[in-house]
Amino acid sequence: MLPSSSFADQVRRALAEAGFHPSTGVDAGMPGLEVCDVPEGVLIRWTASDEFQALTSEQPGHASNGGVRAMVQAAVSGLLEQRGHVITAAEGDDLLVLPPAAAPSERH
């Protein structure tokens, strides 16, 4: 029997299948999507690299880091909501992912 994966592992796998490069909470502060377990579910934090922040600040008329953050959060939220998860805002600009709700029973 294979060991069951944690909810955070399932979220990381879903993000990786969609082309994101999620990391664990051990990589805190590193650029990318940090995905870690919390009592309520899974916390996702996006950190832009220094190079990316410099690039967006130098481009007049382009999305600021805050605008890009909103786009990343929208993409992550949309993907995980399609998989049945509930996404809520967490402290700062983080996302809290809750496990999928139990599927309603089928009525005949």
Side-chain angles (χ1 to χ4, degrees):
M1 175 187 248
L2 294 173
S4 62
S5 60
S6 73
F7 182 47
D9 289 337
Q10 294 170 20
V11 169
R12 282 186 204 97
R13 189 170 29 261
L15 292 169
E17 288 171 359
F20 291 99
H21 299 280
S23 65
T24 63
V26 174
D27 306 321
M30 296 296 295
L33 287 174
E34 177 188 342
V35 179
C36 57
D37 284 303
V38 293
E40 301 86 0
V42 170
L43 191 66
I44 300 178
R45 174 179 297 127
W46 180 65
T47 303
S49 68
D50 292 339
E51 294 84 7
F52 184 81
Q53 289 182 18
L55 177 67
T56 58
S57 68
E58 295 172 3
Q59 301 297 318
H62 287 80
S64 67
N65 186 35
V68 173
R69 178 176 307 282
M71 288 184 262
V72 170
Q73 288 179 329
V76 168
S77 296
L79 167 73
L80 295 174
E81 285 171 348
Q82 284 183 340
R83 295 200 174 209
H85 301 290
V86 174
I87 313 299
T88 63
E91 185 177 327
D93 291 326
D94 301 344
L95 297 174
L96 177 62
V97 184
L98 305 175
S105 60
E106 292 185 47
R107 299 180 187 170
H108 296 280

